[in-house]
Amino acid sequence: MARAAAPRTFSDAKATYQTNSELAWWVFMRVSGFLLVFLTFGHLWANNMAFNAGEIDFDYVASRLAQPSVKVYDSFLLLFALLHGVNGLRYSIEDYIQRPQRRVAAKVALFTVAGIVFVLGVMALWTFSFTEMGDAVRALEP
Amino acid sequence: MQINVKIKRYNPEADARPYWAEYKLEARGSDRVLDVINHLKWEVDGTLAFRRSCAHGICGSDAMLINGVNRLACKVLVKDLGERITIEPIRGLPVLKDLIVDMEPFFDSYKAVLPFFINDDPPPPGERYQSAEDRAVFDETTKCILCAACTTSCPVFWTNGRYLGPAAIVNAHRFIFDSRDQGAAERLGVLNQANGLWRCRTAYNCTEACPRDIPITRAIEEVKRALLWRGA
Amino acid sequence: MYRGREGQWAFVLHRMSGVALALFLLLHVIDISLVMWGPDGPFNAFLAFYHQWPFRVGLIVVIAGVVYHALNGLRIIMMDFTEWGVRYQAALWYGVLGLTTLIGIPVLWKIVPEILGIA
Amino acid sequence: MNRAHKFDVIVVGAGGAGLMAARYAAQHPGVSVAVISKLYPTRSHTGAAQGGVGAALGNVSEDHPEWHAFDTIKGGDYLTDQDVAERFAVEVIEAVYELEHMGLPFNRTPEGKIAQRKFGGHTREFGKSAVERACYAADRTGHMILQTLYQQSIKDRVNFFNEFHVLDMIMEGGACHGVVAYELATGDIHTFHAKATIIATGGNGRMFRVTSNAHALTGDLMSIAYRRGLPIEDPEFYQFHPTGLYKLGVLLTEGARGEGAILRNGDGERFMERYAPTIKDLAPRDMVSRAMYLEIREGRGAGPDKDYIHLDLTHIDAHVIETRLPDITEFSRIYLGVDPIKELVPIQPTAHYAMGGIPTTIDTQVISDGQNTIVPGLYAAGEVACASIHGANRLGTNSLGDLIVFGRRAGIEAAKFAASEGFTELPAGVQDRTRELIDGVRKGKRKERVSHLRRELQDTMQDYASVFRTEEFLSQQVEILRDLQERYECVGVEDEGHKFNTELLEAIELGFLLDNAEQLVHAALNRQESRGAHSREDFKERDDATWLKHTLVYKDGDGVRIDYKPVTLGKYEPKPRTY
Ligand SMILES: Cc1cc2nc3c(=O)[nH]c(=O)nc-3n(C[C@H](O)[C@H](O)[C@H](O)COP(=O)(O)OP(=O)(O)OC[C@H]3O[C@@H](n4cnc5c(N)ncnc54)[C@H](O)[C@@H]3O)c2cc1C
Ligand code: HEM
Ligand code: SF4
Ligand code: F3S
Ligand code: FES
């Protein structure tokens, strides 16, 4: 079984540890989780309860994303949910993938995907203007 | 009464992989599971291998997965299990033969948290004083007999053998909260690392499994808070 | 199967729902961002893809999951920061299950027909 | 793994005595130490001890080592060597403080000192009244000692060979040069070459049917030493604790009767009134055990087989039981399904402690005869040894004291010896005897089952040589043992494997137990008096004129040879033992 060298003595122990990152992430999961209660439920309320989820289409989404308040709200949601969710997925990777190389590979893949998704999300929220950019983007279509 | 015992057996010198063996035998409700497997070993099949010593729940030799739960074979009676008894080795540690697992990884994790008293001040001629209240804070975690029932019941440990596990944290707790000890910062430092304390997902299997009734999850949470609030 | 009790199942469900949510979130951001390519772009195609049966059911599970995950997340926070959270963890979990059902039923009552396209 | 090892000091056994010895040996500069144990150290039976460790700290009320020494000597029915008891009573105080400095979590007095409580036989001013002398950590004192010492040995980076079963000592020219051990995990035989060897392998209670002792307590090294021509001192003195759980032998502390529990026979009669009209149920351990045994033998036992006695706590306040006797409450609930608050608890005297063992000097050096001839390089401490501090009867709490005082001495003495000596050549064929022993069982005829022989041994020892002895029964037992020894030649094992062949070791352990039984029975038959735990129905009185001496039992061909060693007397003249 692959194991990190375990400290047996005082000085070993001092030499072994350096970071507080696991603690920081643990705290973040709780803080973000708490905020996400409001963010996700609000989001769900707006899109599923106050609206018929079965009728979601381009116009609905586009019109929503045109509102600045939605942009701000969804930005927070995106940021927290993504960080929270990705760190949660990382936990699963730590627990279920035991070969060190594969574990690293899985984490790299996860963080890459998460990075791309984050950029896409931010672009959709902020660089996209329904009136100006929209036409420009659409003009690119073949 | 007639009971049916299923044991997951494995002989590294003969079997390619573990298999289930079934035995039917007479037992009394008041028999310990240890008595049952002793009987099997002594009368039916001498090759059955397991560890045992004290036979009353004090030495920690015979933690096993009995009817789906980790227990000490000497601390659970037939009548509390019914006529069908299933026994497997505890999970997450390499099986060496039948119910015997390799305890070295378990003890390595234990040793990693510096499970010994640290106080470099020269001792007084008599005892170091400690109030009864200070003594009570870590009373529960001094009861550990290192049986591994907790660590091998933890769903995180099953899949992630690098996790130090609840037993190591319990033993760290015993010293971190001892008012006479000076090594708390180092132990917390070890527990703060990737495979330490923060891998615990509060699944409580450890607490349910502990034959010494140590409130393990509570202790783990106390250590988490100690790490969180320590003035570092 | 290890015969764990409340805590074990709380953890298993929390992790399953969390992973499901996280994967859903990744997909969801991707599909929403497709609006950038306009009404004739891939967005509606994607939406059509989404409207296949397995995804509709999946969406319902995710919504149920988010309710459970959120409430159990609050349970975890209580256990982490208070003594009684640990002491009453089992009771709290039944509370989580109860509330999940309580919130879930009316929500699903409204959404399920919509998502399934019955309404 | 390398199968030949060389250490300056080897400790066999990782209980309280062994770990203490290892710790102090390792503190000697430049001395290498290894501990060999057939169990993981924390599985040792020291962990089962509940009551406490006696030391005259005087934290609760005035106390002095002289008082402790006197109690020990009187408790031992004057068979205790008085110089040893006096030194012990002083050193145990230092040893307890050292344990505290190692972090042992003792209970505390309101001022924060080590808490102490009363215990049977411990008195102030030479017997005036009970004194608080037992230092305790809840009812887990032994557990805490074992854990604390193991923790320190991790700190000290002691070398451990866990699950290595010692099967022979290397003896050459009257000196000891190490041991030979069988590695459980692989079946390999290892040679441990040492300048000094410390034996700390605990008791041998498994020769009896009902015992508080662990399965592992099979007196291995007492038998190995015996086979190697060394004597065993005072084996006839074997302590039976009156209140063991029926059939299981799990100990119920004396505290139960202290709180007012009553013993009742099958007719519900409070029979102790007949045996000890004044103090009744609180009579000394040996007396109570004897009375219980008599009741059972005369057909007044309780239960379908009329083979146990009841401990009655039902008249005691439920709250008192729950708070002051939580352990025995748990034990009887779990194991017998009996709730002591409402029901009678079935109990039986339980084989508990060997006062005798491998004879040593006050410095734990093993001796080979009545003239204190020292066996160079060999030391012994703990229950396996006989210094003799417990004499004919051990006081409660003195065993844990014994472990830490003599374990420490053994470590210091052995290291000193090792530092001043060189390694000698090992004799040729050091592993021969061990191989013979193992092959004998492996290739055995398998006509006899180990478990059946062991059961017969335990049953007959319990019936003929336990609490209550007569010439007739003991002679009968001598015959039975001879027969069992013969049949033992025909045992065998089904398991032909090498890895974790626990069946093989159980068979070998049975051989060791048979030797232990032989020592005990012959010594008991020989000693024609009643003293302490040894009580002969046919010789009811203590006879100081003839028998104020230690027994030494030697193996002699197929039989035994008995010799004697004088008792070291001192300040305290032997007096009748009354309380
Ligand atoms: C239930 C119970 C309660 C007790 N309560 C008290 C009390 O309150 N106060 C008190 O003073 N005393 C008490 N005693 C007595 C005391 O606990 C024991 O006498 C003492 O612990 C023995 O310690 P030890 O170190 O000699 O041996 P143990 O702790 O028995 O250790 C023996 C060691 O030797 C090893 N070993 C044995 N054979 C071999 C071999 N062949 N090869 C390698 N290793 C071997 C074992 O693995 C083990 O590590 C109690 C005893 C019992 C059974
Ligand atoms: C709605 C409010 C939410 C709350 C209160 C919440 C709370 C928590 C908490 C406290 C944890 C840590 C669990 C632990 O350490 O044992 C956690 C884990 C996790 N969360 Fe959330 N969360 C919420 C929403 C989300 C969302 C929206 C996602 C998806 C994007 C998500 C995905 C995860 C994942 C994957 C884990 C890891 C699970 C594990 O390791 O067992 N959570 N959540
Ligand atoms: S904490 Fe409990 S279950 Fe875990 S090793 Fe210690 S005694 Fe065993
Ligand atoms: S079972 Fe495992 S997840 Fe934590 S509460 Fe116990 S260590
Ligand atoms: S045999 Fe000692 S704990 Fe079960």
Side-chain angles (χ1 to χ4, degrees):
Chain A
M1 191 178 291
R3 302 184 61 79
R8 299 289 182 82
T9 66
F10 217 37
S11 44
D12 285 0
K14 280 186 180 155
T16 322
Y17 60 87
Q18 325 82 9
T19 76
N20 266 325
S21 63
E22 286 290 338
L23 166 61
W25 279 113
W26 184 84
V27 173
F28 174 77
M29 288 305 267
R30 271 110 195 112
V31 173
S32 61
F34 186 73
L35 293 174
L36 279 169
V37 174
F38 304 101
L39 292 170
T40 36
F41 280 101
H43 182 80
L44 285 172
W45 180 264
N47 296 301
N48 289 301
M49 298 307 284
F51 190 78
N52 185 335
E55 290 169 15
I56 290 179
D57 60 5
F58 177 84
D59 289 333
Y60 170 73
V61 176
S63 64
R64 251 182 74 80
L65 291 191
Q67 303 163 28
S69 61
V70 172
K71 281 183 198 283
V72 174
Y73 187 99
D74 282 11
S75 297
F76 276 108
L77 181 58
L78 176 68
L79 181 71
F80 283 119
L82 209 55
L83 282 174
H84 180 103
V86 166
N87 187 51
L89 289 179
R90 180 184 68 87
Y91 286 166
S92 284
I93 291 173
E94 305 275 9
D95 285 351
Y96 298 125
I97 304 184
Q98 286 308 293
R99 294 248 206 93
Q101 305 93 316
R102 290 200 193 169
R103 197 161 53 235
V104 171
K107 281 196 265 187
V108 169
L110 172 66
F111 297 151
T112 314
V113 170
I116 294 170
V117 167
F118 184 67
V119 172
L120 272 180
V122 170
M123 278 171 60
L125 284 170
W126 293 104
T127 62
F128 178 76
S129 154
F130 191 63
T131 45
E132 298 161 28
M133 289 282 288
D135 288 336
V137 169
R138 252 168 275 138
L140 292 175
E141 291 290 309
Chain B
M1 64 183 181
Q2 174 92 5
I3 58 168
N4 193 313
V5 185
K6 257 175 77 179
I7 301 180
K8 196 178 216 170
R9 300 206 47 186
Y10 171 65
N11 177 355
E13 290 166 279
D15 310 325
R17 65 178 67 82
Y19 63 96
W20 288 99
E22 275 201 62
Y23 307 90
K24 283 193 178 24
L25 68 149
E26 272 300 310
R28 277 182 304 259
S30 60
D31 283 343
R32 293 165 279 200
V33 169
L34 180 62
D35 298 323
V36 171
I37 55 180
N38 264 334
H39 177 86
L40 286 175
K41 182 175 184 61
W42 294 341
E43 306 295 336
V44 181
D45 183 353
T47 66
L48 180 63
F50 50 89
R51 293 190 177 100
R52 86 284 177 273
S53 185
C54 72
H56 68 284
I58 205 75
C59 76
S61 298
D62 56 349
M64 299 172 190
L65 182 46
I66 300 172
N67 282 12
V69 189
N70 277 5
R71 319 177 191 238
L72 297 177
C74 63
K75 230 184 156 179
V76 54
L77 304 187
V78 169
K79 70 168 161 22
D80 299 324
L81 297 172
E83 284 151 32
R84 311 195 131 266
I85 299 176
T86 333
I87 307 173
E88 300 168 55
I90 45 179
R91 288 189 190 159
L93 294 168
V95 177
L96 298 177
K97 182 177 180 183
D98 293 341
L99 301 169
I100 296 180
V101 299
D102 183 1
M103 294 294 285
E104 289 304 324
F106 173 80
F107 277 102
D108 280 349
S109 299
Y110 165 71
K111 289 169 189 164
V113 301
L114 314 176
F116 42 77
F117 188 69
I118 297 169
N119 184 330
D120 292 335
D121 298 342
E127 64 268 63
R128 291 192 168 93
Y129 282 28
Q130 179 172 50
S131 73
E133 295 73 45
D134 285 347
R135 165 69 178 74
V137 177
F138 63 101
D139 184 58
E140 300 276 13
T141 44
T142 62
K143 299 195 302 199
C144 175
I145 54 175
L146 298 171
C147 68
C150 55
T151 297
T152 59
S153 76
C154 174
V156 176
F157 180 76
W158 295 332
T159 56
N160 180 358
R162 293 162 299 135
Y163 171 37
L164 288 177
I169 304 173
V170 161
N171 284 282
H173 179 283
R174 179 252 170 273
F175 290 102
I176 290 168
F177 291 95
D178 187 335
S179 56
R180 302 166 297 168
D181 184 271
Q182 300 173 341
E186 274 63 31
R187 290 189 194 93
L188 288 172
V190 173
L191 290 175
N192 199 13
Q193 297 317 298
N195 293 306
L197 188 63
W198 306 116
R199 290 269 77 77
C200 168
R201 298 262 84 81
T202 48
Y204 290 89
N205 278 4
C206 52
T207 306
E208 312 277 356
C210 180
R212 302 285 277 170
D213 292 331
I214 300 171
I216 301 177
T217 311
R218 191 180 94 198
I220 294 176
E221 294 288 283
E222 281 170 10
V223 180
K224 285 181 186 165
R225 287 196 288 271
L227 245 176
L228 181 62
W229 304 127
R230 79 172 163 176
Chain C
M1 198 62 193
Y2 192 88
R3 282 197 6 240
R5 300 187 45 181
E6 294 84 358
Q8 175 182 316
W9 300 116
F11 154 69
V12 169
L13 282 179
H14 193 80
R15 172 157 284 185
M16 281 176 15
S17 60
V19 169
L21 280 173
L23 295 179
F24 171 81
L25 175 74
L26 294 177
L27 275 178
H28 186 59
V29 174
I30 293 173
D31 79 55
I32 294 297
S33 66
L34 293 181
V35 293
M36 289 189 290
W37 278 269
D40 313 318
F43 179 79
N44 277 339
F46 214 86
L47 219 56
F49 178 69
Y50 258 167
H51 281 168
Q52 293 179 68
W53 274 100
F55 284 97
R56 294 178 182 219
V57 176
L59 185 62
I60 293 168
V61 173
V62 165
I63 290 175
V66 79
V67 179
Y68 171 79
H69 189 95
L71 292 173
N72 193 57
L74 293 176
R75 167 177 166 272
I76 292 172
I77 293 171
M78 289 186 222
M79 297 188 310
D80 288 335
F81 294 100
T82 67
E83 283 281 328
W84 57 262
V86 170
R87 197 168 332 127
Y88 299 114
Q89 60 94 7
L92 279 171
W93 188 59
Y94 291 116
V96 166
L97 289 186
L99 267 179
T100 305
T101 337
L102 222 66
I103 298 175
I105 286 177
V107 170
L108 292 180
W109 185 263
K110 171 165 189 308
I111 313 180
V112 169
E114 295 174 2
I115 293 179
L116 298 185
I118 303 167
Chain D
M1 193 195 240
N2 179 17
R3 290 182 218 157
H5 314 266
K6 222 171 176 178
F7 291 95
D8 294 322
V9 177
I10 290 279
V11 182
V12 184
L19 292 176
M20 197 78 180
R23 175 172 170 76
Y24 281 89
Q27 282 178 0
H28 198 106
V31 169
S32 63
V33 182
V35 180
I36 309 172
S37 171
K38 69 177 178 181
L39 303 172
Y40 270 92
T42 53
R43 316 288 183 231
S44 304
H45 209 54
T46 295
Q50 306 164 351
V53 44
L57 309 184
N59 280 355
V60 177
S61 61
E62 186 190 351
D63 201 1
H64 300 283
E66 296 77 41
W67 298 352
H68 188 184
F70 171 77
D71 291 335
T72 303
I73 293 161
K74 182 177 167 192
D77 221 352
Y78 297 92
L79 197 70
T80 299
D81 285 330
Q82 299 198 5
D83 55 336
V84 182
E86 282 174 358
R87 191 82 71 80
F88 164 78
V90 174
E91 281 185 18
V92 75
I93 299 176
E94 292 161 33
V96 163
Y97 285 138
E98 271 165 38
L99 285 176
E100 201 279 337
H101 297 158
M102 292 179 214
L104 195 141
F106 282 108
N107 279 37
R108 298 289 166 161
T109 63
E111 315 90 271
K113 296 192 205 170
I114 296 172
Q116 297 188 279
R117 63 183 168 203
K118 296 176 183 166
F119 226 86
H122 292 281
T123 66
R124 53 183 297 118
E125 291 176 73
F126 312 106
K128 284 220 175 110
S129 62
V131 70
E132 292 85 353
R133 187 177 291 144
C135 311
Y136 63 97
D139 48 3
R140 296 184 279 273
T141 317
H143 165 79
M144 299 297 189
I145 290 181
L146 188 63
Q147 294 289 331
T148 302
L149 290 174
Y150 182 59
Q151 291 156 1
Q152 287 298 311
S153 67
I154 292 170
K155 186 178 188 181
D156 299 346
R157 296 175 160 253
V158 173
N159 298 298
F160 280 104
F161 292 86
N162 295 332
E163 301 192 324
F164 276 63
H165 205 124
V166 170
L167 295 180
D168 195 16
M169 306 190 318
I170 305 168
M171 299 288 290
E172 175 81 352
C176 181
H177 304 293
V179 295
V180 179
Y182 175 93
E183 184 183 3
L184 201 55
T186 59
D188 294 337
I189 299 174
H190 295 245
T191 304
F192 290 87
H193 187 184
K195 294 178 190 165
T197 304
I198 302 172
I199 300 175
T201 50
N204 53 6
R206 279 283 151 180
M207 68 178 127
F208 294 99
R209 178 177 60 223
V210 178
T211 177
S212 63
N213 282 199
H215 281 289
L217 291 179
T218 48
D220 302 3
L221 268 288
M222 297 194 206
S223 165
I224 292 169
Y226 181 66
R227 289 176 190 181
R228 281 294 193 170
L230 295 173
I232 296 298
E233 183 174 342
D234 293 339
E236 66 271 40
F237 297 104
Y238 198 92
Q239 185 170 72
F240 280 76
H241 197 292
T243 53
L245 278 189
Y246 174 53
K247 283 210 165 142
L248 303 167
V250 174
L251 203 71
L252 299 188
T253 167
E254 234 168 50
R257 277 169 294 140
E259 299 291 348
I262 290 169
L263 297 165
R264 296 188 188 280
N265 65 18
D267 308 328
E269 179 202 0
R270 185 180 191 180
F271 59 89
M272 281 311 296
E273 286 174 334
R274 275 188 277 118
Y275 296 89
T278 39
I279 43 176
K280 304 190 181 84
D281 303 278
L282 281 169
R285 277 183 192 181
D286 45 347
M287 239 174 124
V288 180
S289 293
R290 238 165 6 244
M292 289 169 64
Y293 219 72
L294 264 173
E295 290 296 304
I296 292 169
R297 264 211 342 224
E298 287 167 14
R300 287 194 294 276
D305 298 330
K306 295 192 175 302
D307 56 352
Y308 58 80
I309 295 294
H310 277 135
L311 184 67
D312 183 358
L313 291 89
T314 54
H315 54 283
I316 305 175
D317 183 48
H319 182 71
V320 172
I321 298 180
E322 296 275 8
T323 53
R324 292 193 216 161
L325 305 166
D327 254 41
I328 73 159
T329 315
E330 191 197 347
F331 286 147
S332 56
R333 278 184 192 149
I334 291 187
Y335 292 118
L336 299 180
V338 167
D339 186 349
I341 294 173
K342 299 188 215 108
E343 295 159 275
L344 305 179
V345 186
I347 51 152
Q348 215 174 0
T350 183
H352 189 53
Y353 186 86
M355 268 73 73
I358 299 173
T360 71
T361 64
I362 192 168
D363 289 324
T364 70
Q365 294 144 311
V366 173
I367 52 180
S368 60
D369 56 31
Q371 288 76 51
N372 284 341
T373 307
I374 286 163
V375 180
L378 191 59
Y379 300 79
E383 189 171 340
V384 72
C386 179
S388 140
I389 162 179
H390 308 302
N393 178 51
R394 172 178 72 90
L395 283 193
T397 80
N398 265 0
S399 170
L400 292 177
D402 178 348
L403 306 184
I404 56 177
V405 167
F406 293 99
R408 183 172 78 150
R409 272 181 169 256
I412 294 169
E413 293 296 325
K416 226 189 320 176
F417 176 85
S420 67
E421 293 283 312
F423 277 104
T424 36
E425 277 294 300
L426 282 187
V430 272
Q431 299 190 345
D432 290 353
R433 275 167 165 253
T434 309
R435 287 189 192 284
E436 239 171 75
L437 184 67
I438 293 170
D439 288 346
V441 178
R442 264 190 191 285
K443 307 209 174 86
K445 300 194 193 87
R446 273 215 244 163
K447 275 190 358 218
E448 296 282 352
R449 269 202 109 87
V450 169
S451 59
H452 294 182
L453 290 192
R454 185 174 48 215
R455 169 68 24 181
E456 274 180 53
L457 167 72
Q458 292 168 339
D459 283 346
T460 54
M461 286 300 286
Q462 188 90 21
D463 292 342
Y464 301 137
S466 55
V467 171
F468 193 65
R469 296 160 178 176
T470 64
E471 171 153 6
E472 186 197 341
F473 285 128
L474 289 169
S475 313
Q476 212 168 320
Q477 187 61 9
V478 167
E479 291 310 313
I480 291 172
L481 288 178
R482 198 162 290 153
D483 172 58
L484 287 174
Q485 287 278 17
E486 253 165 52
R487 288 162 61 200
Y488 180 69
E489 301 296 315
C490 304
V491 297
V493 287
E494 289 165 56
D495 194 340
E496 288 166 0
H498 294 276
K499 297 184 175 170
F500 288 101
N501 193 335
T502 51
E503 190 191 14
L504 175 74
L505 289 169
E506 281 195 22
I508 293 174
E509 285 173 339
L510 172 61
F512 294 149
L513 276 181
L514 284 167
D515 285 349
N516 280 270
E518 179 178 283
Q519 296 152 10
L520 186 153
V521 171
H522 281 276
L525 182 59
N526 182 60
R527 184 175 283 271
Q528 298 185 333
E529 65 159 351
S530 290
R531 180 187 297 271
H534 172 68
S535 95
R536 287 278 300 255
E537 262 217 312
D538 38 1
F539 299 94
K540 288 201 160 106
E541 297 305 313
R542 191 174 83 193
D543 176 1
D544 287 334
T546 343
W547 290 106
L548 188 57
K549 57 189 177 189
H550 297 292
T551 310
L552 294 178
V553 186
Y554 292 84
K555 192 165 183 61
D556 187 17
D558 279 343
V560 306
R561 177 166 63 85
I562 287 183
D563 199 354
Y564 302 98
K565 189 173 97 96
V567 175
T568 312
L569 295 173
K571 277 191 229 153
Y572 308 108
E573 284 292 309
K575 285 199 215 104
R577 193 169 61 118
T578 52
Y579 286 98

